[in-house]
Amino acid sequence: MKKVMIVDDEILIRETIRRCVDWEKEGFLYCGDASDGELALPIIEEQKPDILITDIKMPFMDGLELASIVHKEMPDIKIIVMSGHDEFRYAQAAIRLGVEDYCLKPISASEFIQLLRKVSRKIDEEQQLKRNQGMTKEKLLSDLCGGLIGTHEAIESAKKLSLPLASRFYRVAVLDIRIPDFARSQNDVLLNGIQGSIEQWVTPDADGLTFVRGRTELVRIFKSSFSENLSERLEQVGNRIRSELEEQYPCEITVGVGSLQERIQGIHVSYLEAQEDQYITRLTRQNKISLRETTYREKLDILLDRAGFLDFLKVGTPAKREAFVREFAEALKQIDWQSSLYGFYLLNDLTLEAFRVAKQWFRSPEEPTASLERLQQTLRQVSSWEDSLLYLNALLQQLWQWRVESSDKYGEIIDKVKSYIQAHYANDQLSLKDIAAHVRISPSHLSKICSQEMGHTLTEHLTQVRIRRAMELLRSTPNKTFEIAYEVGYSDPHYFSNLFKRLTGMTPKEYRNQDMTELRADRPRVMNDGS
């Protein structure tokens, strides 16, 4: 609903205009009036009307002065000037001030409504143009990965941009591109070149969309009609892209790949997982380089039964943990923990691999990067074989905690999220950050959990809660549409009405009328038998 305000020094004119229009039926909200420009300004600043209708001849501050100030300070407000003076100089002055229309008093109700509709259409066209101009391929894909856009809006935006977004399956790959100092001045050129190379490389039977996110991150959203293409072939995409691109460009590239997803909203989940995978892959790569250098210097060749460790991680029990760790770590006794970093790199490499595997097996209730950083801090304190035993026990304990929590922790978190939204949906400022703070999880990780567990984003869930409540209020109260919009957390009644229609197929008024018609049809009939 567009907000309309009237400024005229004749109270009869203001009251006539206010009463002659069924504002809600016509899609408008009458938000106030004033008798002159000076009194109108504070109301305009508070109400922020979409359409301002003002007389010209008024005391204290006339309509042209008011129009000049409003046009300068709030250029989005459309101004209609009314006057009882049919003089060309007034029209000229109004046009120079950028008013939307100029009309003579008296004006009939039908003419007035047509004028409002005409200006309203222009507002809609301008807003749509701004949205189209503001939405680019990069912003759309970035919003998808960031979980900042709903499915319907994403599909509509993709159509307008002629982007082939629809697919049966999605999977995201994140490339972390580290450019050396000597080539830093060519950062943008290198990123564009790498992006072009990736666009030319397409997996058989799978296409994709590539964009730059940030200064060092390049993202490709792979799409396919067949899950096998993305599940099997993309397992090898990291090494292939990295090796081919590092031969062409002076940079270091680390690739992370997220999980296979069937919904557009799953792109966000796959992206978060790809970021985690990329982070662990980069640390693993750095660690292997350091491990090779240390091995070369110290001529050590220690073999750890990694497969056995990972098997124990999956099926082992706390009762057998200490005995297993002592046997597993026997080979580490030959390390000089005081003077060598070899033990650190060896255990760090094992930790990174264990995290990667655990991420596939178990779903952590917290961000793996945070847990990994804490363990690496502990690892740096290891200074003896006995310390290494304590560390390995702690590593298994941490990952087993994920194993236990993954089976029941998410249910508790989702229940808390739903309860919090139910209690605070009327707050139009409610955000992902607020909800995440309540359940004590980072916003990005909470977004991932909710998308996985609920099958839709937090924003979509909040919208469903608000619209369901609005439907209840439309059925059970006589409140006007704009009042219900405020009650369910929407400060813009026009946006609320559009959203309601998009989700229910009816405007709020149509929904209320339909409900009343059904109630009347279901009402028991009373026989008029004269008694």
Side-chain angles (χ1 to χ4, degrees):
M1 287 188 179
K2 310 293 191 309
K3 289 200 249 182
V4 180
M5 180 174 170
I6 309 292
V7 184
D8 196 299
D9 60 335
E10 296 183 50
I11 187 171
L12 181 61
I13 297 290
R14 300 199 305 272
E15 285 298 303
T16 301
I17 291 176
R18 186 174 67 82
R19 291 173 180 172
C20 77
V21 178
D22 186 342
W23 296 97
E24 186 173 351
K25 178 182 176 182
E26 297 298 334
F28 297 96
L29 173 64
Y30 190 89
C31 67
D33 54 60
S35 58
D36 68 72
E38 185 179 1
L39 295 175
L41 276 175
I43 302 175
I44 293 171
E45 290 177 357
E46 178 187 346
Q47 293 292 331
K48 296 181 174 54
D50 300 287
I51 302 172
L52 173 65
I53 301 171
T54 178
D55 187 18
I56 287 184
K57 287 293 186 179
M58 295 182 295
F60 304 109
M61 180 187 290
D62 67 28
L64 294 182
E65 291 177 292
L66 175 63
S68 176
I69 294 171
V70 171
H71 184 68
K72 181 179 178 182
E73 300 294 330
M74 292 164 273
D76 288 337
I77 296 178
K78 300 299 181 187
I79 303 171
I80 299 174
V81 168
M82 291 194 306
S83 176
H85 303 272
D86 187 9
E87 294 186 17
F88 182 64
R89 64 186 180 89
Y90 288 116
Q92 278 185 315
I95 291 169
R96 282 197 300 270
L97 290 172
V99 302
E100 196 60 39
D101 217 319
Y102 181 94
C103 63
L104 292 174
K105 294 190 275 186
I107 183 171
S108 69
S110 60
E111 289 174 329
F112 184 73
I113 290 170
Q114 289 300 318
L115 182 57
L116 287 177
R117 289 174 178 171
K118 173 186 170 184
V119 176
S120 177
R121 284 195 297 272
K122 182 159 186 183
I123 292 173
D124 289 338
E125 290 168 1
E126 290 180 356
Q127 289 177 345
Q128 185 62 49
L129 182 61
K130 284 181 181 179
R131 284 195 291 269
N132 291 345
Q133 291 174 339
M135 182 60 75
T136 62
K137 169 192 170 185
E138 287 70 24
K139 186 177 188 311
L140 171 59
L141 299 181
S142 180
D143 285 352
L144 276 170
C145 289
L148 302 175
I149 187 170
T151 300
H152 177 83
E153 188 179 352
I155 291 173
E156 290 299 311
S157 298
K159 284 181 183 177
K160 290 168 185 170
L161 294 169
S162 300
L163 282 180
L165 182 61
S167 181
R168 286 193 62 193
F169 299 101
Y170 303 90
R171 200 168 188 187
V172 177
V174 172
L175 283 74
D176 179 67
I177 301 166
R178 300 301 169 99
I179 297 171
D181 291 339
F182 71 85
R184 194 62 55 83
S185 61
Q186 298 179 312
N187 185 82
D188 293 339
V189 175
L190 289 172
L191 284 176
N192 289 334
I194 292 171
Q195 182 174 357
S197 297
I198 292 175
E199 290 290 359
Q200 294 174 10
W201 179 84
V202 178
T203 24
D205 304 317
D207 59 2
L209 300 164
T210 307
F211 71 103
V212 176
R213 183 179 169 94
R215 294 287 295 171
T216 63
E217 186 175 283
L218 195 147
V219 181
R220 183 169 180 86
I221 302 171
F222 288 95
K223 308 185 291 127
S224 178
S225 300
F226 306 98
S227 60
E228 294 79 9
N229 295 321
L230 295 184
S231 295
E232 297 173 7
R233 295 174 184 171
L234 286 187
E235 294 297 338
Q236 302 170 354
V237 68
N239 290 332
R240 178 174 176 182
I241 288 180
R242 183 177 64 79
S243 60
E244 291 185 6
L245 294 180
E246 285 187 347
E247 287 181 7
Q248 285 183 269
Y249 301 96
C251 58
E252 179 183 308
I253 298 174
T254 309
V255 182
V257 180
S259 63
L260 185 73
Q261 298 290 327
E262 296 184 18
R263 297 176 181 270
I264 286 177
Q265 288 300 312
I267 291 173
H268 172 53
V269 175
S270 188
Y271 169 75
L272 291 175
E273 292 174 342
Q275 277 195 317
E276 291 175 358
D277 187 54
Q278 175 270 125
Y279 174 74
I280 295 176
T281 300
R282 179 162 55 83
L283 292 181
T284 302
R285 188 180 186 190
Q286 294 171 349
N287 192 73
K288 287 187 182 300
I289 293 172
S290 300
L291 185 58
R292 284 198 299 270
E293 292 173 350
T294 305
T295 304
Y296 178 77
R297 288 196 307 270
E298 301 182 14
K299 294 183 171 50
L300 289 173
D301 189 15
I302 297 176
L303 295 177
L304 293 176
D305 182 10
R306 295 190 184 192
F309 186 88
L310 297 176
D311 284 342
F312 190 77
L313 170 64
K314 189 173 184 179
V315 299
T317 62
K320 298 180 180 179
R321 186 183 63 206
E322 290 193 15
F324 170 81
V325 166
R326 292 187 72 86
E327 182 180 349
F328 173 80
E330 187 68 27
L332 299 177
K333 283 185 174 180
Q334 59 183 295
I335 295 174
D336 183 355
W337 295 91
Q338 297 294 328
S339 60
S340 171
L341 289 174
Y342 184 73
F344 169 81
Y345 292 125
L346 203 60
L347 290 181
N348 193 45
D349 198 43
L350 176 66
T351 300
L352 293 169
E353 190 168 351
F355 259 71
R356 188 188 301 279
V357 170
K359 190 165 70 73
Q360 297 171 357
W361 290 342
F362 322 130
R363 292 182 296 179
S364 165
E366 63 175 325
E367 291 187 81
T369 52
S371 301
L372 184 57
E373 287 170 359
R374 286 198 300 270
L375 280 169
Q376 287 182 319
Q377 288 292 333
T378 304
L379 181 54
R380 289 188 177 90
Q381 307 303 316
V382 174
S383 59
S384 66
W385 183 72
E386 288 75 16
D387 286 347
S388 73
L389 298 182
L390 293 174
Y391 173 78
L392 289 169
N393 274 285
L395 174 61
L396 285 169
Q397 182 63 30
Q398 170 69 73
L399 299 181
W400 280 350
Q401 186 177 339
W402 290 4
R403 188 172 69 180
V404 173
E405 292 176 339
S406 66
S407 61
D408 56 13
K409 188 72 173 182
Y410 284 140
E412 182 182 344
I413 291 173
I414 295 300
D415 287 344
K416 286 182 179 179
V417 167
K418 289 181 176 179
S419 297
Y420 189 79
I421 288 176
Q422 196 63 44
H424 297 86
Y425 66 84
N427 177 7
D428 66 338
Q429 300 298 314
L430 184 63
S431 68
L432 171 62
K433 186 176 179 182
D434 297 329
I435 301 169
H438 175 69
V439 296
R440 298 181 180 180
I441 292 178
S442 74
S444 63
H445 200 59
L446 178 61
S447 179
K448 174 182 171 182
I449 289 172
C450 291
S451 295
Q452 286 177 333
E453 299 300 310
M454 297 194 298
H456 50 253
T457 66
L458 265 178
T459 300
E460 289 177 318
H461 179 74
L462 175 59
T463 300
Q464 290 173 7
V465 170
R466 285 172 166 169
I467 295 301
R468 279 198 297 268
R469 179 56 179 159
M471 292 167 74
E472 292 173 5
L473 293 172
L474 286 166
R475 287 196 303 265
S476 60
T477 73
N479 295 354
K480 294 186 179 297
T481 299
F482 73 89
E483 294 173 325
I484 291 175
Y486 294 143
E487 283 188 60
V488 299
Y490 293 105
S491 58
D492 184 343
H494 182 64
Y495 174 78
F496 164 73
S497 295
N498 286 338
L499 185 63
F500 189 95
K501 183 173 183 179
R502 194 175 80 197
L503 294 180
T504 67
M506 294 178 281
T507 65
K509 188 170 185 178
E510 289 169 344
Y511 178 82
R512 171 176 274 165
N513 290 342
Q514 180 197 56
D515 191 61
M516 293 304 297
T517 301
E518 291 174 354
L519 284 174
R520 283 193 289 268
D522 291 340
R523 183 183 302 161
R525 295 185 179 183
V526 178
M527 297 298 291
N528 186 9
D529 57 1
S531 60

